C-alpha cells in the first residue's frame, strides 16, 4: 500500500483559495458561505508546513455581465459568452469590503496572488486560469514550478466551486495536491460531498486538519 510522505519544506506551497470576506457572513448580501470566516486558523496553520504561501482572489468589475438581476436570477444559465456559465449575485467587487481577505490573513504573507474574473465577460472558478477552458494562465502554476514546488496544500472557499476547480487544475498540472478539509467550507452539503469525492478520485490527498499533516512527515 502506498504511503505518502511530505517532501522537504522547500518543495511545499500553501494555497489560500478565495479566502475573501465576500464568501463569509461578513458580507451577507454577497455570497456568504456558512462559517466561511472560521477557516483562518487552519489556513495559517497549514502555511507553517510550506516554504511559499500563495493566494487567489476574485477581482470583479461592477459591470460584469454575469451579475444577477430580477430577469436573470442567481444560478440561472448564461448564453452567448464562452467564459460565463451562470448568473451570480454581485460579489468581490474590487475596492469593496468583499474583495478583502478575511480578517486574520496577512496580504503581505503571500509570495504570489492570482486575481481572477477581472474582465466583465469572464467568471472563472479555478485560480490557475482566466477562462473556463483552462487555456489562459493566471501565472500561478508557472510561479510554483519556477520555485521548485512539487506539493501544494490547499484550503479556501468554497469547497464545491473554486476550491474544487483550483485543486483539479493543480493536479492536472502535475503537482501533488493536499486538501485540508478544516481549512474549507462548502456551499451545500450534497455538492460539497460530491466535490470531495471527485477530488479524492482524481488522486488528491484529503486530510482532516493541519495537525494531520504532522503524520505525513
Amino acid at each position: 500500500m502506498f504511503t505518502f510522505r511530505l517532501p522537504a519544506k522547500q518543495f511545499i506551497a500553501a494555497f489560500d483559495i478565495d479566502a475573501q470576506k465576500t464568501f463569509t457572513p461578513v458580507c451577507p448580501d454577497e455570497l456568504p458561505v456558512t462559517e466561511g470566516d472560521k477557516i483562518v486558523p487552519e489556513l495559517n496553520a497549514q502555511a507553517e508546513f510550506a516554504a511559499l504561501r500563495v493566494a487567489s482572489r476574485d477581482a470583479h468589475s461592477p459591470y460584469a455581465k454575469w451579475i444577477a438581476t430580477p430577469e436573470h436570477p442567481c444560478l440561472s444559465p448564461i448564453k452567448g459568452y464562452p467564459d460565463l456559465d451562470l448568473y451570480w449575485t454581485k460579489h468581490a467587487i474590487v475596492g469593496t469590503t468583499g474583495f478583502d481577505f478575511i480578517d486574520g490573513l496577512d496580504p503581505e504573507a503571500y509570495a504570489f496572488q492570482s486575481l481572477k474574473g477581472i474582465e466583465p465577460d469572464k467568471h472563472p472558478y479555478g485560480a490557475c486560469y482566466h477562462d473556463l477552458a483552462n487555456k489562459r494562465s493566471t501565472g500561478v502554476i508557472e510561479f510554483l514550478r519556477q520555485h521548485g514546488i512539487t506539493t501544494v496544500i490547499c484550503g479556501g472557499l468554497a469547497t464545491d466551486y473554486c476550491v474544487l476547480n483550483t485543486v483539479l487544475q493543480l493536479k492536472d498540472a502535475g503537482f501533488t495536491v493536499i486538501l485540508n478539509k478544516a481549512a474549507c467550507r462548502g456551499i451545500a452539503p450534497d455538492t460539497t460531498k460530491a466535490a470531495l469525492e471527485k477530488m479524492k478520485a482524481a488522486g488528491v490527498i484529503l486530510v482532516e486538519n493541519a495537525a494531520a499533516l504532522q503524520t505525513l512527515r
Side-chain angles (χ1 to χ4, degrees), residues 21-36 89 186-187:
K21 292 179 180 178
T22 190
F23 301 117
T24 75
V26 174
C27 294
D29 296 327
E30 296 188 26
L31 291 175
V33 178
T34 302
E35 293 190 346
T89 302
I187 292 176

Side-chain angles (χ1 to χ4, degrees), residues 34-198:
T34 302
E35 293 190 346
D37 53 339
K38 305 298 185 184
I39 65 173
V40 170
E42 282 290 324
L43 291 175
N44 288 335
Q46 72 184 30
E48 295 298 317
F49 292 84
L52 284 178
R53 190 172 188 178
V54 299
S56 65
R57 281 201 278 180
D58 273 2
H60 296 316
S61 164
Y63 308 107
K65 299 182 183 301
W66 48 260
I67 293 174
T69 65
E71 295 77 23
H72 300 289
C74 185
L75 297 180
S76 62
I78 296 178
K79 297 180 180 179
Y81 295 94
D83 290 311
L84 297 176
D85 60 349
L86 300 172
Y87 286 96
W88 289 95
T89 302
K90 184 186 292 187
H91 63 279
I93 305 301
V94 175
T96 68
T97 297
F99 175 70
D100 294 341
F101 285 110
I102 304 170
D103 289 344
L105 296 175
D106 178 10
E108 298 299 321
Y110 300 110
F112 186 98
Q113 288 189 40
S114 167
L115 302 181
K116 58 194 179 73
I118 297 170
E119 295 159 297
D121 62 346
K122 290 178 173 54
H123 189 264
Y125 301 105
C128 300
Y129 299 95
H130 289 293
D131 61 320
L132 295 180
N134 294 352
K135 300 295 184 183
R136 299 179 58 201
S137 176
T138 63
V140 68
I141 288 173
E142 292 79 4
F143 179 83
L144 295 172
R145 287 174 175 163
Q146 180 184 15
H147 287 82
I149 297 300
T150 63
T151 301
V152 187
I153 305 169
C154 296
L157 301 169
T159 310
D160 33 355
Y161 282 92
C162 296
V163 172
L164 169 63
N165 282 272
T166 301
V167 162
L168 294 181
Q169 288 172 349
L170 291 168
K171 194 73 177 64
D172 287 344
F175 296 100
T176 298
V177 184
I178 301 170
L179 181 77
N180 176 7
K181 292 164 62 177
C184 305
R185 294 293 188 277
I187 292 176
D190 56 342
T191 53
T192 298
K193 180 181 178 182
L196 293 172
E197 291 174 349
K198 188 172 184 178

